[in-house]
């Protein structure tokens, strides 16, 4: 984990390279406390995509727990009917 003081943000090119090379967010502190997080676009997009996967998994687990399921053969038959 990388932590830098806010004053280090003056060198934007260096910070940008560090974000890209580490593929991890950089935590920025102000007066010794967490203030911001800086990350590359690639890392941001990956983080958002993973959050969406987790959201869908939670939704699927809820459906399963509440009995909202369908037999695989029936599900494929329904999909085929929609595509015809």
């Amino acid at each position: 984990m990388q932590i830098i003081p806010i004053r280090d943000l003056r060198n934007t090119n260096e910070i940008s390279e560090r974000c890209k090379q580490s593929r991890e967010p950089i935590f920025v502190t102000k007066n010794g406390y967490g203030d911001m997080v800086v990350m590359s676009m690639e890392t941001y997009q990956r983080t958002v995509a993973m959050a969406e996967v987790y959201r869908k998994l939670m939704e699927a687990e809820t459906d399963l727990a509440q009995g909202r399921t369908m037999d695989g053969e029936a599900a494929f038959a329904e999909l085929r009917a929609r595509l015809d």
Side-chain angles (χ1 to χ4, degrees):
M1 177 171 25
Q2 295 185 62
I3 302 172
I4 62 170
I6 199 163
R7 70 177 173 272
D8 286 2
L9 289 179
R10 292 180 189 143
N11 192 344
T12 56
N13 287 331
E14 179 187 330
I15 299 298
S16 175
E17 284 305 312
R18 285 173 66 177
C19 286
K20 289 174 186 170
Q21 288 177 358
S22 71
R23 295 184 171 177
E24 295 291 330
I26 296 176
F27 298 88
V28 181
T29 61
K30 182 177 181 182
N31 298 324
Y33 296 95
D35 187 52
M36 295 186 287
V37 176
V38 180
M39 64 181 81
S40 69
M41 285 297 286
E42 177 186 341
T43 300
Y44 173 76
Q45 290 170 339
R46 187 177 66 239
T47 301
V48 169
M50 288 306 298
E52 180 65 11
V53 167
Y54 292 137
R55 186 191 67 75
K56 288 180 179 182
L57 283 171
M58 286 176 33
E59 187 178 308
E61 287 179 358
T62 300
D63 285 346
L64 186 61
Q66 295 180 357
R68 291 189 302 246
T69 62
M70 181 183 283
D71 175 71
E73 301 249 345
F76 283 117
E78 185 179 307
L79 285 171
R80 280 189 212 101
R82 284 189 210 170
L83 294 174
D84 287 340

